[in-house]
């Protein structure tokens, strides 16, 4: 079943066929996206923003030899499509050949992955408001104020090219997050998935509320090197940087990655395993990339050893390899998109018990890369930062700034949580790290 | 289009909305990117659609669509009211009230000397490829990038209060960068600044003024020199911040915390709130006496300039910090009412499919009376930092940390060795209170930031910042282990 607003496989592929038929290029590529999304936002226990959007976008690439022109339009009528083709052809003819262009992929069998949940597609503003009401009531029971967002939507992605690629996928998306605020501390929780029924608003609210209760009356602890227990939200942030900074085949070839010349070496703790898998339903499955190439599982780190990289069509062809289905990020090269970190055996309680004097971090805020080769990252803690003393959480602390290398984190971690959870597109467990650099502290 | 806007407003009124507005927006963008001697991207994007915003039973609803037909306008208008009805089911204890604005019928077009869409694409490509060639001599330079983009936005705003405003805004931007890597080190230099160069509400004249070719060889050379430069020392010292990095400092530590929607908690779940709470208005010492900051949407060429905001409020110049004292927020009609004020016109939406939220206009540090040379001569020990590399700030906008592409030692009033990986950190108001020198008008530059993220669903705003170099005393630099 497909949501009534979506074009559907037949109509979407019909648009692609038409564009390819009308194009004068030696090669042509078409990407069609449709999006029907809605988001309800709340603050201080009431809904303050509530929005919806319907859009279609078609990107046409017309190629003469190695000259490429690209046009995107959000009108899908025949006249607009013809104009887009004409414009793309005109700008392609204007330019010198791109010697790095390696052509377009050939069709391959695509995995059959169901990404569409009708209950998510039909979830209404009224349904979202009911969920928000539930969250707000749970906050009010303790005199807290809940803020957050609940988004649901459906989308289509169709990719085709003149070499015969025809890929179509309809998907749904739901995400819910809430920050609960008390007098002088906040707590956070979130949930996301393709199926809105898995989100359980009351459960999310109770987790945020429990954090918020613990987070009151924070004390200021001096910055420095501490043992840390990082909950999955914080781990996902660091893992995403590690994946993007290191595991792109283009970055490695250009010397921009810490893996240049080091593939096959043991760079991480042997308990550390990381892979990219766009087909695993525990994450956000998607059958193919923006070049229409099927997603393949790529083992990035196995028992601490850096194993494989992600490829798009161009980088793979240059090295005589096969694309892993991580393409379409024009100019940026391939990138990991669906990261997983392997579970360990510890519970969160065991990690806290193993900590003499350390910090428990719920999540990070506004992180940024200070040095890509060192994967040195800075950012703040937020919404639940606690002091651990002699194996117990003793008090809430004011938020820290950290400046730390993700390479060091994943090469020195000594405990890994036994349960990996979905944090948007990344699936990670909690970890314990014996030494983590907090370089500053703020006033709350 | 008048028929469509009228239809939308009639439908929402018939359905009982107390207020409604519609924006019809068409955006056309051309992007060119060269990478290592090739045209890596040459693309043109068109996006057209409309968004309808309503107040019903004291609560907001918004819906939008790219299908510009009467039937779809009616459907979307009804959907916006339905959504507002859902909002009203989890309502605040009081209704949304909009501060008054005089209805306006007007047209506004941004001034342009050379229409960037009229310049031959071949000429633009040739310029970027020539800059690329000038950066190509050194083997350590692994990635050379040139970028140029121009955008035209045509927008109609109509409201149930009688406003009908047509605006056309043209923006242009360009920049180059070189990334060098060797023996386990990686460094980048950019010109005129990082992350896509400089932008303005202007035409191709801004690209000509940049003189990219005059700087290409230096950019590549400095990227290579940085590979073997001294590591920035760690410690507390005086720093002089060059204009483009200071622009980002203003953006993060002044621009965002003065957004009244953040202050009132409307961004609490995502980007955060603000330390500049309402009781500080008019009395809080934000900076030293040297620090006067303005928000000016009327600044010619400013990337955050416009005729009217997306609530139909005219562009204005507002003093935010007056000789160190915090004086004003950026406001909307709804948030201004909360403080008993009227809107100063800072509501902007990222296209037809987003609601307006409070965005920076052009937030600038007003010039002082020093020169950069005088500041260096007057500094015994410190560093001069330039061109942003990384940024981070806490969710109340207090604890910040920036990294820059390059720095130079200052010893006994003279510039010394080049330094790599400079970083500095501080608490916003302590930092601005430590400012003791600001350079004058001659060194004041206006920078465009085309990538300011805010809101859920995400919105990207184009904003501006003017600054001249300034000095800050006893700042913590060289953060972390390198």
């Amino acid at each position: 079943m497909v949501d009534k607003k979506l074009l559907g496989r037949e109509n979407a592929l019909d648009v692609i066929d038409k564009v390819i038929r009308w194009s004068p290029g030696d090669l042509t590529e078409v990407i069609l996206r449709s999006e029907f999304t809605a988001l309800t936002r709340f603050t201080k226990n009431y809904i303050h923003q509530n929005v919806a959007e319907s859009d279609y976008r078609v990107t046409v690439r017309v190629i003469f030899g190695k000259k490429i022109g690209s046009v995107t339009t959000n009108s899908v009528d025949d006249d607009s499509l013809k104009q887009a083709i004409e414009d793309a052809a005109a700008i392609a003819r204007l330019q010198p050949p791109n010697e790095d262009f390696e052509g377009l992929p050939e069709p391959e069998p695509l995995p059959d992955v169901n990404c569409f949940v009708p209950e998510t597609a039909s979830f209404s503003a009224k349904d979202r408001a009911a969920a928000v009401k539930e969250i707000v009531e749970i906050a009010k029971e303790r005199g807290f104020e809940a803020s957050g967002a609940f988004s649901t939507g459906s989308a289509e992605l169709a990719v085709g090219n003149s070499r015969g690629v025809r890929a179509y996928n309809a998907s749904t998306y739901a995400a819910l997050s809430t920050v609960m605020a008390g007098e002088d501390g906040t707590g956070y929780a979130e949930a996301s998935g393709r199926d809105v029924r898995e989100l359980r608003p009351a459960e999310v609210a109770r987790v945020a509320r429990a954090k918020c209760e613990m987070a009151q009356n924070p004390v200021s602890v001096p910055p420095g090197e501490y043992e840390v227990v990082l909950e999955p939200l914080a781990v996902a942030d660091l893992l995403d940087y590690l994946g993007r900074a290191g595991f792109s085949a283009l970055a490695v070839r250009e010397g921009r990655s810490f893996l240049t010349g080091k593939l096959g070496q043991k760079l991480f703790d042997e308990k550390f395993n990381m892979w990219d898998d766009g087909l695993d339903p525990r994450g956000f499955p998607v059958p193919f990339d923006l070049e229409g190439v099927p997603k393949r599982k790529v083992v990035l780190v196995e028992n601490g050893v850096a194993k494989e990289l992600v490829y798009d069509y161009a980088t793979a062809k240059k090295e005589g390899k096969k694309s892993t289905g991580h393409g379409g990020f024009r100019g940026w090269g391939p990138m990991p998109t669906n990261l997983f970190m392997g579970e360990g055996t510890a519970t969160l309680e065991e990690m806290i018990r193993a900590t003499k004097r350390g910090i428990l971090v719920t999540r990070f805020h506004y992180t940024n890369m200070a040095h890509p080769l060192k994967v040195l990252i800075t950012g703040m803690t937020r919404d639940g930062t606690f002091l651990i003393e002699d194996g117990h959480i003793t008090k809430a602390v004011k938020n820290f700034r950290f400046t730390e290398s993700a390479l060091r984190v994943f090469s020195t971690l000594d405990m890994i949580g036994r349960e990996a959870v979905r944090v948007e597109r990344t699936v990670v467990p909690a970890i314990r790290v014996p030494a983590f650099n907090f370089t500053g502290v703020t006033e709350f | 289009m008048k028929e469509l806007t009228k239809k939308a407003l009639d439908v929402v009124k018939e359905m009982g909305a107390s207020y409604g507005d519609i924006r019809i927006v068409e955006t056309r963008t051309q992007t060119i990117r060269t990478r290592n001697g090739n045209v890596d991207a040459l693309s043109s994007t068109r996006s057209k659609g409309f968004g309808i915003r309503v107040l019903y039973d004291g609560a907001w609803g918004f819906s939008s669509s790219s299908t510009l037909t009467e039937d779809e306008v009616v459907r979307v208008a009804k959907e916006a009211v339905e959504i507002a009805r859902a909002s009203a089911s989890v309502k605040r204890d009081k209704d949304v009230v909009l501060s008054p604005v005089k209805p306006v019928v007007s047209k506004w077009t941004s001034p342009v000397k050379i229409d960037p869409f009229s310049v031959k694409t071949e000429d633009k490509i040739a310029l970027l490829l020539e800059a690329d060639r000038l950066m190509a001599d050194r083997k350590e330079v692994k990635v050379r990038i040139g970028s140029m983009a121009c955008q035209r936005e045509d927008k109609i705003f109509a409201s149930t209060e009688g406003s009908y405003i047509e605006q056309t805004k043209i923006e242009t931007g360009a920049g180059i960068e070189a990334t060098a890597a060797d023996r386990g080190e990686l460094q980048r230099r950019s010109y005129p600044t990082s992350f896509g160069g400089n932008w303005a509400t202007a035409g191709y004249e801004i690209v000509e003024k940049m003189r990219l070719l005059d700087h290409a060889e230096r950019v590549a050379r400095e990227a290579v020199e940085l590979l073997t430069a001294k590591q920035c020392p760690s410690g507390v010292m005086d720093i002089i911040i060059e204009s483009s990095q200071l622009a980002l400092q203003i953006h993060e530590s002044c621009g965002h915390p003065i957004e009244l929607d953040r202050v009132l908690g409307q961004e609490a779940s995502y980007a955060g709130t603000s330390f500049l709470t309402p009781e500080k208005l008019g009395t809080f010492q934000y900076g030293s006496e040297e620090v006067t900051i303005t928000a000016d949407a009327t600044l010619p060429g400013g990337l955050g300039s416009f005729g009217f905001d997306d609530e139909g409020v005219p562009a204005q110049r507002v003093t935010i910090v007056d000789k160190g004292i915090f004086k004003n927020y950026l406001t909307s009609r709804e948030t201004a009412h909360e403080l008993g004020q009227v809107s100063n016109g800072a509501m902007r939406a990222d296209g037809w499919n987003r609601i307006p939220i409070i965005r920076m206009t052009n937030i600038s540090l007003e010039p002082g009376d020093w020169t950069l040379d005088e500041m260096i001569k007057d500094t015994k020990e410190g560093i001069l930092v330039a061109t942003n590399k990384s940024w981070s700030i806490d969710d109340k906008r207090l604890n910040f940390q920036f990294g820059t592409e390059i720095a130079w030692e200052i010893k006994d009033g003279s510039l010394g060795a080049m330094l790599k990986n400079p970083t500095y950190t501080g608490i916003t108001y302590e930092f601005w209170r430590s400012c003791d020198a600001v350079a004058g008008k001659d060194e004041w530059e206006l920078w465009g930031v085309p990538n300011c993220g805010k809101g859920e669903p995400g919105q990207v705003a184009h904003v501006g910042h003017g600054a001249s170099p300034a000095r800050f005393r006893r700042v913590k630099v060289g953060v972390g282990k390198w």
Side-chain angles (χ1 to χ4, degrees):
Chain A
M1 180 187 158
V2 167
D3 181 57
K4 63 180 188 298
K5 291 169 178 171
L6 298 179
L7 292 170
R9 177 185 294 270
E10 205 175 305
N11 291 332
L13 294 181
D14 183 49
V15 170
I16 287 183
D17 285 339
K18 272 194 294 201
V19 173
I20 289 170
R21 207 166 53 238
W22 292 337
S23 169
D26 302 332
L27 288 170
T28 303
E29 181 190 72
V30 193
I31 301 172
L32 182 149
R33 295 181 184 87
S34 61
E35 261 183 0
F36 302 91
T37 55
L39 186 142
T40 300
R41 217 172 174 206
F42 51 107
T43 183
K44 297 188 172 181
N45 293 340
Y46 70 97
I47 293 173
H48 68 301
Q49 293 172 2
N50 209 346
V51 302
E53 173 188 359
S54 311
D55 196 15
Y56 302 94
R57 265 173 301 153
V58 176
T59 299
V60 182
R61 284 208 300 162
V62 175
I63 300 148
F64 298 104
K66 291 192 167 208
K67 300 173 168 190
I68 308 156
S70 173
V71 168
T72 300
T73 174
N74 75 336
S75 306
V76 289
D77 59 89
D78 285 359
D79 287 345
S80 301
L81 294 173
K82 282 178 180 164
Q83 187 64 52
I85 295 164
E86 199 180 303
D87 292 348
I91 56 181
R93 287 191 180 101
L94 289 176
Q95 56 179 295
N98 179 347
E99 296 305 335
D100 282 340
F101 180 64
E102 296 285 345
L104 298 176
E106 288 178 321
E108 290 183 65
L110 296 170
D112 187 18
V113 183
N114 180 33
C115 306
F116 190 89
V117 180
E119 286 77 4
T120 306
S122 61
F123 209 72
S124 68
K126 214 170 152 185
D127 297 330
R128 287 191 305 279
V132 170
K133 195 166 200 156
E134 210 176 349
I135 293 167
V136 162
E137 292 307 321
I138 288 167
K140 281 181 176 169
E141 284 170 8
R142 296 285 187 280
F144 293 158
E145 288 183 333
S147 301
F150 193 171
S151 62
T152 53
S154 48
E156 286 170 305
L157 171 67
V159 182
N161 70 33
S162 53
R163 298 190 71 191
V165 165
R166 293 293 183 275
Y168 172 86
N169 180 251
S171 63
T172 50
Y173 174 87
L176 169 65
S177 63
T178 184
V179 173
M180 247 173 234
E183 197 66 30
D184 58 3
T186 54
Y188 177 86
E190 65 172 48
S192 58
R194 298 235 178 261
D195 187 344
V196 72
R197 294 169 299 181
E198 293 174 2
L199 266 47
R200 299 191 180 89
E203 210 171 286
V204 170
R206 288 199 182 93
V207 172
R209 187 175 74 180
K211 282 273 184 198
C212 182
E213 284 176 316
M214 284 168 65
Q216 301 307 308
N217 309 313
V219 297
S220 193
V221 171
E225 200 165 76
Y226 285 87
E227 297 170 74
V228 284
V229 176
L230 304 179
E231 292 199 16
L233 288 163
V235 177
D237 215 339
L238 300 182
L239 198 79
D240 286 341
Y241 276 105
L242 189 75
R244 284 201 303 271
F247 291 87
S248 153
L250 183 65
V252 170
R253 199 173 73 215
E254 291 178 339
R256 293 183 287 114
S257 160
F258 61 85
L259 282 177
T260 302
K262 290 185 179 165
L263 214 55
Q265 293 182 17
K266 185 173 172 300
L267 300 175
F268 303 98
D269 185 273
E270 63 190 10
K271 292 187 290 300
F272 181 59
N273 289 285
M274 170 167 117
W275 62 94
D276 186 287
D277 189 354
L279 303 177
D280 189 331
R282 290 186 303 155
F284 266 94
V286 55
F288 53 86
D289 69 4
L290 292 168
E291 297 183 307
V293 174
K295 288 275 179 191
R296 293 187 177 87
K297 180 176 174 176
V298 183
V299 177
L300 305 169
V301 178
E302 191 173 58
N303 301 329
V305 176
K307 298 289 275 191
E308 297 178 68
L309 306 173
V310 297
Y311 286 86
D312 58 11
Y313 182 75
T315 52
K317 196 160 178 209
K318 253 197 174 85
E319 295 182 27
K321 295 191 164 147
K322 213 169 173 188
S323 168
T324 55
H326 293 86
F329 306 105
R330 304 261 170 267
W332 303 105
M335 270 193 270
T337 48
N338 301 80
L339 284 176
F340 287 74
M341 177 179 160
E343 294 99 331
T345 55
T347 63
L348 190 66
E349 290 68 33
E350 284 167 351
M351 287 189 247
I352 293 167
R353 269 207 301 277
T355 301
K356 176 105 181 98
R357 182 176 165 79
I359 304 295
L360 172 66
V361 177
T362 298
R363 69 164 175 152
F364 293 134
H365 169 77
Y366 218 147
T367 52
N368 206 325
M369 184 83 86
H371 196 293
L373 272 191
K374 300 172 199 289
V375 201
L376 190 71
I377 299 160
T378 189
M380 297 296 301
T381 63
R382 183 176 171 182
D383 300 327
T385 309
F386 306 100
L387 182 67
I388 304 169
E389 292 173 297
D390 296 324
H392 298 280
I393 295 172
T394 52
K395 46 186 83 97
V397 294
K398 292 187 177 176
N399 285 298
F400 284 113
R401 168 166 298 288
F402 72 95
T403 307
E404 183 56 274
S405 162
L407 290 175
R408 182 167 176 248
V409 167
F410 293 107
S411 61
T412 60
L413 55 82
D414 60 6
M415 293 174 89
I416 300 178
R418 66 183 184 193
E419 189 193 357
V421 301
R422 181 196 290 140
V423 181
E424 294 279 320
R425 279 165 175 74
T426 304
V427 180
V428 287
I431 62 173
R432 201 195 94 95
V433 185
F436 188 89
N437 230 335
F438 290 111
T439 52
V441 68
T442 192
E443 296 182 354
F444 59 94
Chain B
M1 290 299 168
K2 260 199 171 140
E3 292 76 36
L4 283 181
T5 60
K6 184 174 180 307
K7 187 76 199 172
L9 300 175
D10 285 349
V11 170
V12 301
K13 276 193 281 192
E14 276 163 27
M15 291 185 73
S18 59
Y19 170 83
D21 60 39
I22 175 169
R23 279 175 303 110
I24 302 175
V25 186
E26 180 168 9
T27 310
R28 183 179 156 207
T29 310
Q30 185 194 51
T31 308
I32 305 170
R33 204 173 98 122
T34 56
R35 190 179 199 276
N36 292 351
N38 288 311
V39 179
D40 178 51
L42 176 50
S43 64
S44 159
T45 303
R46 275 176 192 270
S47 180
K48 191 174 184 177
F50 65 96
I52 297 172
R53 189 176 72 138
V54 302
L55 265 180
Y56 177 90
D57 192 11
W60 286 113
F62 174 84
S63 184
S64 60
S65 171
S66 59
T67 307
L68 260 168
T69 60
E70 187 175 314
D71 285 353
E72 184 70 350
V73 164
V74 171
R75 182 193 73 76
V76 168
K78 286 179 178 170
E79 188 172 61
V81 176
E82 280 310 310
I83 288 172
R85 215 190 293 266
S87 301
S89 70
V90 190
K91 210 167 90 173
R92 198 180 173 190
D93 51 7
K94 52 184 177 184
D95 287 356
V96 171
V97 178
L98 302 179
S99 59
V101 62
K102 207 173 137 196
V104 180
V105 177
S106 184
K107 280 187 184 182
W108 180 86
T109 302
S110 65
V112 167
K113 285 189 185 138
I114 307 168
D115 181 351
F117 291 96
S118 73
V119 177
K120 281 185 178 171
T121 304
E122 302 94 301
D123 294 346
K124 296 175 185 169
I125 291 172
L127 174 64
L128 292 180
L129 286 178
E130 179 59 10
D132 184 285
R133 191 186 65 76
L134 292 168
M135 294 191 288
D137 276 350
R138 293 159 211 274
K139 66 177 187 333
E140 296 92 342
V141 173
K142 307 294 184 193
V143 183
R144 314 179 302 273
I145 287 176
S147 60
M148 199 184 293
C150 50
Q151 179 171 302
R152 178 190 167 113
E153 182 189 71
D154 293 289
K155 181 162 61 181
I156 295 169
F157 169 87
S159 75
T160 51
E161 294 174 345
S163 282
Y164 190 91
I165 300 166
E166 294 168 87
Q167 297 190 80
T168 297
K169 181 169 165 162
I170 289 179
E171 301 171 351
T172 307
I176 54 173
E177 65 177 60
T179 301
D182 193 34
R183 294 177 206 174
E185 186 54 273
L186 179 89
Q187 293 293 333
R188 186 189 69 208
R189 277 300 275 147
S190 316
Y191 174 82
T193 188
S194 47
F195 304 105
N198 198 15
W199 283 65
T201 298
Y204 196 72
E205 63 274 9
I206 179 187
V207 178
E208 292 183 341
K209 201 176 148 201
M210 283 178 196
R211 306 186 69 84
L212 294 175
L213 302 183
D214 293 352
H215 294 269
E217 192 280 330
R218 174 186 60 80
V219 162
R221 174 167 40 82
E222 286 181 352
V224 174
E225 285 171 2
L226 277 168
L227 293 173
T228 51
K230 274 169 66 176
Q231 172 62 38
C232 176
S234 291
V236 174
M237 62 188 76
D238 297 343
I239 69 169
I240 298 174
I241 302 178
E242 151 278 348
S243 167
S244 74
Q245 168 58 29
L246 197 51
L248 201 69
Q249 176 79 48
I250 295 165
H251 181 95
E252 299 289 3
S253 67
C254 183
H256 279 303
I258 60 168
E259 295 161 348
L260 188 52
D261 55 352
R262 279 188 76 115
V263 175
L264 297 178
Q266 294 193 358
E267 293 292 325
S269 64
Y270 184 59
T273 57
S274 171
F275 74 98
L276 284 173
T277 41
E279 79 283 357
K280 295 191 171 84
L281 194 60
T283 56
F284 183 70
Q285 196 195 332
Y286 175 89
S288 69
E289 276 212 354
E290 311 297 321
V291 178
T292 292
I293 295 174
T294 54
D296 189 352
T298 68
L299 211 53
L303 196 62
S305 295
F306 46 81
F308 298 86
D309 79 351
D310 287 335
E311 293 192 307
V313 178
Q316 295 168 39
R317 177 182 167 91
V318 182
T319 299
I320 299 296
V321 174
D322 189 13
K323 293 182 178 160
I325 304 298
F326 168 51
K327 291 288 190 186
N328 274 301
Y329 291 112
L330 293 168
T331 63
S332 63
R333 295 183 65 189
E334 178 187 358
T335 58
H337 174 79
E338 297 279 327
L339 299 189
Q341 300 178 352
V342 293
S343 170
N344 56 32
M347 283 288 266
R348 285 192 292 155
D350 177 13
W352 55 266
N353 53 351
R354 294 287 182 272
I355 52 167
I357 53 178
I358 293 179
R359 304 312 306 243
M360 292 172 224
T361 55
N362 302 295
I363 315 297
S364 303
L365 177 66
E366 294 299 306
D369 48 16
W370 288 68
T371 67
L372 176 59
D373 275 351
E374 285 168 356
M375 269 183 239
I376 293 168
K377 283 197 183 96
D378 188 58
T379 302
K380 188 155 173 46
E381 191 166 7
I383 58 171
L384 166 66
V385 299
T387 319
N388 181 262
K389 188 155 84 174
S390 67
W391 62 96
S392 173
I393 190 163
D394 73 41
D395 55 289
K396 290 188 181 176
R397 302 271 152 180
L398 278 165
N399 181 309
F400 64 81
Q401 183 165 317
F402 290 96
T404 63
E405 289 184 350
I406 195 165
W408 291 269
E409 282 177 339
I410 304 172
K411 280 224 165 109
D412 298 324
S414 298
L415 274 190
M418 180 187 285
L419 302 169
K420 70 178 177 183
N421 303 324
T423 50
Y424 68 94
T425 188
I427 295 289
T428 293
Y429 61 86
E430 291 173 358
F431 174 80
W432 284 104
R433 286 175 188 174
S434 78
C435 178
D436 75 340
V438 179
K441 271 185 196 154
D442 293 349
E443 293 174 281
W444 192 89
E445 284 185 77
L446 187 52
W447 299 93
V449 175
N451 58 351
C452 174
K454 185 178 172 182
E456 294 173 290
Q459 302 199 32
V460 177
H462 293 189
V463 306
H465 302 287
S468 47
R471 182 173 64 185
F472 299 81
R473 296 290 199 182
R474 299 191 55 73
V475 176
K476 187 177 172 189
V477 307
V479 192
K481 291 181 178 169
W482 290 86

